[in-house]
């Protein structure tokens, strides 16, 4: 009887290890879609003592998260309005310019709502929060609802469209 219980516990343990291993090595599509958002947050982040090589590497990495071209619909004041289709080189330029206005910067994404309307296409509605300090010393804290379109290209999810969604007015 003791042998049967031991084999049963050993079998259950192996099953649990197998399940956790499967989930770790083969993450769900939702987790794979969220990965570019986490990377974008990491690459956008800026600290006050950032060196030039680190900044250049972050800018290069930001542009590689986007499909070539990518559609943007971010309307607002002229200084930060971005509407149209942009290639990776243009995205690099905007990222460099945008980060240069800040001495400290962070970007966080929350409240992911992910849909897969077709194979290798994801629509993600979420909240983005940009915080930091401008080079002039002003605090920045902006929160926007976003609709992002991602395409799976070459095995990686890339941003192919980003739009700021206006909240419903009551």
């Amino acid at each position: 009887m003791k042998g049967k219980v031991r084999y049963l516990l050993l079998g259950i343990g192996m099953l649990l290890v197998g399940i956790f291993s499967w989930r770790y090595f083969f993450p769900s599509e939702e987790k794979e879609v969220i990965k570019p958002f986490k990377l974008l947050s990491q690459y956008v982040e800026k600290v006050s003592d950032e060196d030039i090589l680190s900044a250049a590497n972050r800018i290069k990495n930001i542009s590689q998260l986007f499909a070539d071209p990518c559609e943007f619909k971010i309307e607002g004041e002229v200084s930060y309005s971005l509407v149209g289709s942009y290639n990776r080189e243009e995205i690099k330029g905007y990222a460099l310019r945008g980060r240069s206005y800040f001495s400290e910067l962070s970007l966080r994404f929350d409240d992911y709502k992910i849909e897969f309307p077709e194979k290798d296409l994801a629509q993600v509605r979420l909240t983005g929060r940009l915080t930091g300090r401008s080079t002039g010393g002003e605090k920045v804290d902006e929160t926007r609802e976003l609709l992002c379109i991602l395409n799976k290209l070459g095995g990686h999810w890339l941003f192919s469209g980003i739009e700021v969604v206006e909240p419903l007015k009551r």
Side-chain angles (χ1 to χ4, degrees):
M1 189 71 169
K2 283 186 177 180
K4 287 183 180 180
V5 170
R6 187 169 62 192
Y7 285 121
L8 179 63
L9 290 175
L10 184 63
I12 290 172
M14 289 175 59
L15 179 64
L16 289 174
V17 167
I19 290 170
F20 288 119
S21 296
W22 178 265
R23 297 191 105 195
Y24 178 78
F25 291 111
F26 302 102
S28 68
E29 281 297 299
E30 284 86 4
K31 285 184 180 178
E32 289 296 312
V33 167
I34 290 173
K35 189 186 273 184
F37 291 96
K38 291 186 183 291
L39 289 171
L40 184 59
S41 293
Q42 180 183 333
Y43 299 149
V44 164
E45 185 177 359
K46 183 177 182 182
V47 292
S48 57
D49 61 347
E50 182 177 71
D51 62 86
I52 295 201
L53 290 176
S54 176
N57 192 41
R58 287 175 182 266
I59 296 298
K60 178 185 69 105
N61 290 337
I62 287 172
S63 71
Q64 292 175 347
L65 296 173
F66 292 86
D68 200 358
C70 181
E71 293 288 326
F72 286 88
K73 189 174 180 193
I74 303 171
E75 297 179 280
E77 293 181 27
V78 177
S79 61
Y80 68 84
S81 185
L82 194 64
V83 178
S85 182
Y86 299 92
N87 65 38
R88 284 184 174 168
E89 285 301 313
E90 292 170 312
I91 292 169
K92 260 191 220 180
Y94 281 112
L96 178 64
R97 250 189 318 271
R99 288 180 89 245
S100 72
Y101 292 122
F102 296 92
S103 58
E104 297 172 5
L105 184 64
S106 75
L107 176 63
R108 194 176 90 212
F109 297 106
D110 295 303
D111 305 327
Y112 298 89
K113 291 174 186 68
I114 302 170
E115 294 178 3
F116 297 97
E118 55 188 71
K119 184 174 171 30
D120 297 336
L121 178 71
Q123 260 186 296
V124 184
R125 194 178 203 102
L126 69 155
T127 304
R129 183 174 184 197
L130 186 75
T131 58
R133 186 172 301 279
S134 73
T135 53
E138 295 177 48
K139 280 191 170 193
V140 176
D141 190 350
E142 296 283 330
T143 302
R144 298 283 186 266
E145 186 173 342
L146 304 169
L147 175 62
C148 300
I149 308 297
L150 291 92
N151 287 99
K152 194 170 191 177
L153 303 167
H156 300 285
W157 287 97
L158 300 176
F159 294 101
S160 60
I162 297 178
E163 177 180 352
V164 172
V165 180
E166 292 296 323
L168 295 174
K169 294 184 180 172
R170 295 178 182 189

